Amino acid sequence: MFKLTCQIIIGSYSFTQVNEVKIKRSIHSFVDTASIKIPATARLHTSGDLKTVSVNNAAASFMNEGDPVEIWLGYNQELQLEFSGFVKRVNAATPCEIECEGYSWPLRRKIILQNFKGKTLQAMLEHATADTGIRLSENIPNIKLNQCLFENQNGTEVLDWIKKNLFLTVYFSGNVLYAGLAYVELPQIAQAPKEGRKPIDGKLPALTFEREKQPVRYDMGWNVIKDDQLKFRKAADVKLQIRAVTFDKNNTPVTASFGDSKDPIRTIFVPYVSAATTLRELAAGKLNELKYDGYEGKITTFLQPFSQPGTEAKITDRQYKEREGTYLLESTEVTFGTGGARRICEVGVKISKKDEQTTGTVAGGTAENQ
């Protein structure tokens, strides 16, 4: 029997019951969002004090923009960290709604005035994220920047620049920022303490993380509730080669291509990267996004097994064996509340063939108690 449980921490407040939670995350966006709805009839109790205060009054008075937020969800107190970020806005309506944003929030409030010409992408990101609580991934590529000047732009505009001019994937996994080729970074899972998150001397202790080691397993007809948004595609039907183009200091074009030379060419311009090897990697990564045999689309699953953007998902299908394989999840949408809990996963690039042996964990089943 599965019972929905949660722990939500906002600033110095912690509660275990909500009306509704919605969370959206994607490897194609560095802005993670969440909304928390709490019934207006709920009361906040102050330890050691007989007085209580309504949630609406507490939200308006004590929950401020920028307060840290953690959302832990699961079954039977087996909780996973689904979202970490900050309060963006408090809507003291009925029910009370708290809008939250991930670690892009502190970057919006940091102004960058710096010339990064001749420096690396890593150095630029270290400068942009200093004193924000953001950690950088260990897999940031070694890209040297030829031209890059920011004048009174905020940190999120820096991330936008990276996406548009370097054609890189930029997203957060909690407070860890990744910028690089798509489908390289495997996400980390926060380790929840058995007794739940409790503050020590008024502050929450630092979390420990472990890199995902095994793909999550989704079986059609078992722990997949809906698959009507899935489509099947064939790599053979995608005739394409990618050509990446940049310009050196003398304004001479430098190109690198990946794919069958007989196929139609799609050109991408990379104006601030000079290494031909890097160009080829970018071209290969772009082609891999567009050409493969397998599924694309979305599946609706139970809250568990836990997955997040960047997770490897092993999909099995008893009716269509040729569609089986391991895929990268590109986005997740989580809903949790009085109506039950669901996770909508967007299936992305296929990274293995159906006959490759990959182990995973099946959870969720069909016996959810809501």
Side-chain angles (χ1 to χ4, degrees):
M1 195 67 70
F2 294 95
K3 180 181 179 181
L4 294 173
T5 53
C6 68
Q7 183 183 17
I8 298 176
I9 303 169
I10 301 177
S12 59
Y13 293 98
S14 175
F15 45 95
T16 58
Q17 293 184 352
V18 293
N19 191 345
E20 183 182 57
V21 172
K22 292 183 178 180
I23 301 169
K24 292 185 179 181
R25 299 170 58 193
S26 171
I27 66 170
H28 300 301
S29 173
F30 52 79
V31 180
D32 298 338
T33 62
S35 67
I36 305 166
K37 290 184 178 180
I38 309 170
T41 55
R43 312 289 291 183
L44 292 180
H45 296 260
T46 304
S47 178
D49 193 337
L50 294 178
K51 296 180 180 180
T52 64
V53 61
S54 72
V55 168
N56 279 28
N57 291 335
S61 304
F62 306 118
M63 294 182 184
N64 302 310
E65 179 182 353
D67 282 349
V69 177
E70 290 184 5
I71 300 177
W72 296 78
L73 306 177
Y75 296 111
N76 303 330
Q77 300 301 328
E78 295 291 330
L79 305 179
Q80 296 284 358
L81 180 62
E82 296 280 2
F83 177 88
S84 59
F86 304 88
V87 173
K88 181 180 180 180
R89 185 182 298 110
V90 177
N91 300 323
T94 303
C96 175
E97 181 177 10
I98 304 167
E99 298 180 24
C100 309
E101 183 177 340
Y103 274 80
S104 56
W105 187 89
L107 285 181
R108 293 187 190 279
R109 284 144 186 82
K110 182 167 184 179
I111 301 301
I112 309 298
L113 178 59
Q114 184 78 22
N115 187 353
F116 295 100
K117 181 179 180 179
K119 297 185 179 181
T120 64
L121 175 63
Q122 175 87 19
M124 182 174 71
L125 289 174
E126 287 175 351
H127 179 87
T129 60
D131 302 321
T132 61
I134 296 170
R135 298 186 295 124
L136 295 183
S137 164
E138 299 174 354
N139 295 319
I140 303 292
N142 184 25
I143 295 177
K144 189 174 181 179
L145 307 172
N146 285 341
Q147 300 179 34
C148 186
L149 173 63
F150 294 102
E151 296 180 303
N152 293 322
Q153 286 142 308
N154 64 38
T156 57
E157 289 176 311
V158 172
L159 300 188
D160 274 326
W161 183 93
I162 293 171
K163 293 184 66 174
K164 293 177 181 178
N165 295 285
L166 301 184
F167 294 91
L168 298 179
T169 298
V170 183
Y171 66 97
F172 282 95
S173 180
N175 70 333
V176 178
L177 174 62
Y178 173 71
L181 297 176
Y183 317 116
V184 171
E185 178 86 343
L186 288 177
Q188 300 184 79
I189 300 177
Q191 304 303 298
K194 296 289 185 182
E195 67 281 0
R197 296 278 281 160
K198 296 180 180 178
I200 299 176
D201 296 330
K203 294 184 179 180
L204 288 170
L207 291 169
T208 58
F209 293 83
E210 288 187 3
R211 188 74 65 184
E212 288 187 354
K213 298 178 181 179
Q214 293 183 335
V216 65
R217 183 173 172 180
Y218 289 125
D219 289 339
M220 298 297 182
W222 171 244
N223 63 349
V224 175
I225 302 170
K226 291 177 61 178
D227 60 4
D228 55 352
Q229 295 187 61
L230 277 183
K231 299 178 181 178
F232 186 72
R233 61 184 296 175
K234 294 183 178 180
D237 296 335
V238 181
K239 303 295 184 182
L240 192 66
Q241 66 168 311
I242 302 296
R243 175 183 294 168
V245 181
T246 190
F247 294 86
D248 62 16
K249 296 179 181 180
N250 300 318
N251 206 31
T252 302
V254 179
T255 66
S257 299
F258 193 88
D260 192 331
S261 60
K262 298 179 182 179
D263 289 341
I265 298 173
R266 177 177 295 183
T267 301
I268 61 174
F269 291 94
V270 191
Y272 302 108
V273 176
S274 58
T277 54
T278 303
L279 286 177
R280 182 173 172 80
E281 291 174 359
L282 290 172
K286 193 64 177 178
L287 186 61
N288 286 335
E289 292 180 30
L290 302 173
K291 191 170 184 175
Y292 63 91
D293 284 334
Y295 285 118
E296 64 178 0
K298 295 182 179 181
I299 56 175
T300 301
T301 72
F302 295 97
L303 190 62
Q304 291 181 354
F306 173 74
S307 62
Q308 55 187 321
T311 293
E312 296 182 359
K314 180 177 174 60
I315 295 180
T316 58
D317 192 326
R318 295 176 178 84
Q319 291 184 325
Y320 303 100
K321 293 293 184 180
E322 69 277 6
R323 301 182 183 183
E324 295 185 346
T326 303
Y327 298 77
L328 264 295
L329 299 183
E330 296 189 347
S331 70
T332 56
E333 299 178 32
V334 175
T335 58
F336 178 100
T338 55
R342 295 290 184 264
R343 186 186 307 276
I344 300 175
C345 303
E346 183 181 3
V347 178
V349 171
K350 188 176 184 180
I351 59 174
S352 77
K353 298 179 181 179
K354 64 174 182 176
D355 55 353
E356 290 182 351
Q357 296 298 316
T358 311
T359 58
T361 302
V362 179
T366 58
E368 185 181 32
N369 179 26
Q370 300 171 354

